[in-house]
Amino acid sequence: MEYLQQLNTQQREAATTTEGYVRVVAGAGSGKTKTLTARYLYLVEQLGISTANILCVTFTNKAAAEMKKRIRSSLPDQDLGRITTFHGFCVGLLKEDCHVVQYPSTFIVLDEEDKEAMLRTVFEDLGITSRDMTVKDAVDHIGWRKGGRGYVKNLIGAPEKLLRLSEEATTLKDKVMYRYFYEQRKCYGLDFDDLVYFVLYILQQDRDTREKWQQRLEYVMVDEFQDIDKDQYALADILSGYHKNLFVVGDPDQTIYTWRGADVKFILEFDSRHENVKTIYLNTNYRSAPQILKASNALIDKNRQRLKKELTAVRPDARKPLYFHARTGQLEADWMTANMRALHDGGRSWSSMAVLYRAHYVSRTVEESLIRNRIPYVLYSGVEFYKRKEIKDVLCYLRMIYAGDDISFLRTVNEPRRGVGRTRIAALKEYAALHRCSLYDALAASLDTRLFQRSRAKEYVRLIEKYRAIFDGMDLTDLLAGVLSESGYEEMLRSCGEEERLDNLAELKQAIYDFQRKAGEEVTLGNYLDHAALFTNMDQTARAEAVKLMTVHAAKGLEFPTVFLCGLSEGIFPGKRANTREKLEEERRLCYVAFTRAQDRLFLSDAAGSNYDGSFRYPSRFLFNAEKENVEYAVPLDPELEERAMEQIRKTETMDASAARPNEAVGKRILHPVFGEGSVIGIPRGCDGIIVQFDSIHTPRTFGSAAKITYLT
């Protein structure tokens, strides 16, 4: 039992509490994976439970693989197939029991690209253009309609019925949806949503299958429970319904996926939804230095929707988080790289450093500074700024105007679509080979032929010729704006709802402006294309000895000796769409996740300027939430700037520290004028109230902040 001896008291209690409903609130860096692994081994080695009777689900294949790796060292010959993701478990159940809904075990799992390809086929068959509906619109509508799960009855029926439903549909969105269902049904394809919905349908509708799985799974363990959605919650609840052994681990302070359906209330209200719940807190942090934890604790304590806890550090003291307010984005990036260089000169490896940010477009100035300073880096969960599709597309438009090369032509001629597909490209290649000319010249010479008359190729040639004639005398930012508008590229992204890609184009505009400002009056289009080529031609193969760049979402579950968190400005982090208290609290949780990735050093930074909507970039409220005594300022903030920042923040968020927070009421006794005495057992999702279990009523009641309630304790 060496694995138990390596645990602290709270971890050991969690690992050896095997029966009933157990909620483990595991703070960042508190040894959650070690505890889960120990509990699994304890069930198998000490209690003799078969691995076939234990289900352990988590949210990523990577997390499942890590847990299997740790357990396999102790149980080398055991089948660990039920340490998996929710979707992995659902595939396994369907392989065994999809005959219940008359599907073969050879059903196909569809990925996002498969879904979009099917929808494009549907659009073509129905004669739908992007003016009528975008693929994204269709995906969103289908996902919303599937959320009710009633669609499963239609999808498991005869394909002809789906065609009839499509013909009878009264809205275009439903017409597309039923045709998409038809395409799915023809190939017995199930997308990621279907996997969970089909399993829920089978378990709810077929008693024999439900009881078989309930009796088989004697112990159900769910990791990252704070990120669970209503369907995954229902699945875990059903599967544990016979033995009633459900063990959940999570941290409400790290709920950062509500946009994906996660609902923090499932872990907050776990004890009010199940009987005799035992809650265990893992508050000892083994990851971060005490100074980093002080700032992190102060930051997250400003949230109301949480279970109150405070992480305790065991590591030795280090420096406070260091904050720098820069005048420009370039100065912010240069400050970061200067500190990286100093750390590296002091013996730190490049691979021990990570740069985190709220959105991908923030990385542009950081990448440029890293390249200028010859610091190796690897970008995770995305591609380098100048290698992103929309950036390469637009640069190729500029290069078509400047040089007219075939590579740029093939990338731009049908982006957005102009009817210049494979057949017409093949004809152009044949013409170009025969006449020894570029593909663009071949197109210009073929515009009046029968093959191209029904295409929109003339629009493309007209655009290129117009700007070839005038680009020499144009401001580069005006040139870019004209090309984006007249090519239809910007409108294409807008109609598809591609907001992040539009943000990247806005960042490209800023990059060109910065380049012009630094280069002076002699700047030309050729100069800029050469400048951009220095970035696109860099060797970007993954290197172990390199600084890591990633979004905070991508960093979840990771840790780094040194973290640089940049872009800490209002409008960036928190983002401009965080316009409700719930959204702001999620942004704060995301910032808390970023803080707690750091082990030894944490650097915080932002830059003055304007956001793309014209709003002034004030330092982020999250910096102030961490409290001044917990943060070292590289340069003192101008008092007037700080005062204006706080005034702006107060307009969007009440920061009354003296107000009693709802989570502090949990456990207290209250008196209601009608229901009598009871105990506060939780907080509702909206935070403005409490959930009370009264002595005289079997089920709890939820009250808003205006309720006439007297606190007794």
Side-chain angles (χ1 to χ4, degrees), residues 205 214 379 550:
Q205 300 298 319
Q214 284 180 330
L379 194 86
M550 65 187 75

Side-chain angles (χ1 to χ4, degrees), residues 8-268:
N8 65 32
T9 303
Q10 290 73 34
Q11 291 171 334
R12 193 177 303 115
E13 181 184 9
T16 56
T17 302
T18 61
E19 306 307 305
Y21 293 100
V22 183
R23 173 177 62 179
V24 177
V25 181
S30 61
K32 169 177 65 75
T33 303
K34 180 192 285 189
T35 304
L36 272 168
T37 302
R39 187 176 194 268
Y40 192 98
L41 290 171
Y42 184 79
L43 287 171
V44 176
E45 292 191 337
Q46 299 303 313
L47 303 190
I49 306 299
S50 168
T51 59
N53 301 117
I54 305 171
L55 173 64
C56 182
V57 290
T58 187
F59 279 79
T60 65
N61 290 311
K62 181 180 177 182
E66 174 62 26
M67 192 170 296
K68 284 181 182 178
K69 180 181 176 182
R70 295 191 188 195
I71 291 172
R72 194 165 279 124
S73 62
S74 298
L75 304 173
D77 302 321
Q78 299 277 4
D79 178 10
L80 304 181
R82 293 215 168 96
I83 301 175
T84 183
T85 62
F86 273 105
H87 290 101
F89 168 76
C90 289
V91 169
L93 185 149
L94 289 170
K95 291 292 183 185
E96 185 173 327
D97 287 313
C98 62
H99 60 85
V100 172
V101 289
Q102 293 80 50
Y103 266 56
S105 59
T106 53
F107 66 87
I108 300 170
V109 178
L110 305 171
D111 61 22
E112 292 302 309
E113 194 171 329
D114 295 328
K115 286 169 62 176
E116 292 180 6
M118 277 188 176
L119 282 168
R120 283 192 289 270
T121 299
V122 170
F123 277 29
E124 188 174 336
D125 290 347
L126 296 178
I128 296 171
T129 69
S130 59
R131 293 182 180 180
D132 304 313
M133 184 193 304
T134 67
V135 170
K136 184 178 184 302
D137 289 337
V139 169
D140 290 345
H141 178 69
I142 291 168
W144 173 69
R145 288 292 299 272
K146 282 185 174 183
R149 298 199 295 271
Y151 81 99
V152 176
K153 291 181 181 178
N154 288 323
L155 197 52
I156 64 179
E160 295 75 18
K161 178 184 177 183
L162 294 169
L163 281 178
R164 189 177 71 253
L165 287 170
S166 178
E167 292 169 359
E168 295 172 353
T170 57
T171 67
L172 183 60
K173 286 183 176 180
D174 280 354
K175 190 179 289 289
V176 168
M177 178 184 71
Y178 286 119
R179 279 300 296 267
Y180 172 73
F181 289 170
Y182 171 72
E183 296 294 332
Q184 278 193 273
R185 181 65 176 79
K186 277 198 307 183
C187 66
Y188 292 107
L190 299 178
D191 61 32
F192 271 35
D193 289 336
D194 298 326
L195 294 175
V196 176
Y197 296 154
F198 266 56
V199 166
L200 280 173
Y201 181 85
I202 290 171
L203 293 176
Q204 290 166 347
Q205 300 298 319
D206 191 77
R207 179 178 176 180
D208 290 341
T209 304
R210 180 174 66 251
E211 290 183 351
K212 176 183 74 174
W213 283 96
Q214 284 180 330
Q215 292 174 22
R216 179 184 294 177
L217 301 177
E218 298 175 3
Y219 295 90
V220 178
M221 302 161 65
V222 183
D223 190 14
E224 303 288 5
F225 200 72
Q226 78 277 352
D227 292 325
I228 206 166
D229 64 30
K230 62 182 177 62
D231 301 301
Q232 293 159 341
Y233 175 84
L235 184 56
D237 214 35
I238 291 171
L239 293 173
S240 59
Y242 180 75
H243 295 287
K244 300 189 184 302
N245 291 326
L246 178 58
F247 181 91
V248 303
V249 184
D251 182 5
D253 291 338
Q254 297 186 71
T255 303
I256 60 174
Y257 293 114
T258 59
W259 49 274
R260 224 165 50 183
D263 195 333
V264 70
K265 73 180 181 183
F266 291 124
I267 189 167
L268 291 177

Side-chain angles (χ1 to χ4, degrees), residues 593-607:
V593 167
F595 275 32
T596 54
R597 298 311 93 195
Q599 296 171 301
D600 305 322
R601 293 296 309 276
L602 175 61
F603 294 84
L604 311 171
S605 62
D606 75 307

Side-chain angles (χ1 to χ4, degrees), residues 223-323:
D223 190 14
E224 303 288 5
F225 200 72
Q226 78 277 352
D227 292 325
I228 206 166
D229 64 30
K230 62 182 177 62
D231 301 301
Q232 293 159 341
Y233 175 84
L235 184 56
D237 214 35
I238 291 171
L239 293 173
S240 59
Y242 180 75
H243 295 287
K244 300 189 184 302
N245 291 326
L246 178 58
F247 181 91
V248 303
V249 184
D251 182 5
D253 291 338
Q254 297 186 71
T255 303
I256 60 174
Y257 293 114
T258 59
W259 49 274
R260 224 165 50 183
D263 195 333
V264 70
K265 73 180 181 183
F266 291 124
I267 189 167
L268 291 177
E269 300 173 8
F270 188 77
D271 55 344
S272 64
R273 292 168 176 263
H274 300 90
E275 295 180 355
N276 302 318
V277 171
K278 182 172 186 177
T279 298
I280 302 168
Y281 285 84
L282 305 185
N283 283 342
T284 304
N285 178 284
Y286 295 92
R287 176 187 299 155
S288 303
Q291 286 71 18
I292 293 172
L293 280 189
K294 284 180 182 177
S296 304
N297 285 332
L299 168 71
I300 200 61
D301 192 51
K302 306 304 184 295
N303 271 10
R304 299 183 184 183
Q305 196 174 15
R306 63 188 297 257
L307 296 172
K308 190 170 180 63
K309 69 179 189 306
E310 186 161 317
L311 296 179
T312 303
V314 297
R315 298 195 55 208
D317 284 342
R319 284 185 66 175
K320 294 179 181 179
L322 182 62
Y323 165 68

Side-chain angles (χ1 to χ4, degrees), residues 376-441:
Y377 73 95
V378 176
L379 194 86
Y380 287 83
S381 292
V383 294
E384 291 81 14
F385 181 81
Y386 286 103
K387 287 190 174 181
R388 291 166 190 159
K389 181 183 184 307
E390 59 275 14
I391 302 302
K392 289 185 71 174
D393 286 348
V394 174
L395 288 177
C396 281
Y397 264 108
L398 296 179
R399 206 165 72 181
M400 271 305 300
I401 294 166
Y402 184 73
D405 60 287
D406 285 354
I407 294 174
S408 298
F409 175 84
L410 289 171
R411 190 170 188 104
T412 57
V413 69
N414 210 37
E415 190 74 23
R417 292 186 179 183
R418 300 184 178 92
V420 186
R422 292 180 182 177
T423 302
R424 288 177 171 128
I425 290 294
L428 291 178
K429 288 182 176 179
E430 191 173 317
Y431 183 100
L434 181 64
H435 293 85
R436 296 190 177 185
C437 64
S438 70
L439 292 176
Y440 176 79
D441 290 339

Side-chain angles (χ1 to χ4, degrees), residues 323 325 568 570 606 617-621 624 637 641 645 649:
Y323 165 68
H325 175 72
L568 268 177
E570 290 290 308
D606 75 307
R617 280 185 179 172
Y618 291 104
S620 171
R621 69 193 69 201
F624 304 121
L637 272 182
L641 172 64
I649 291 166

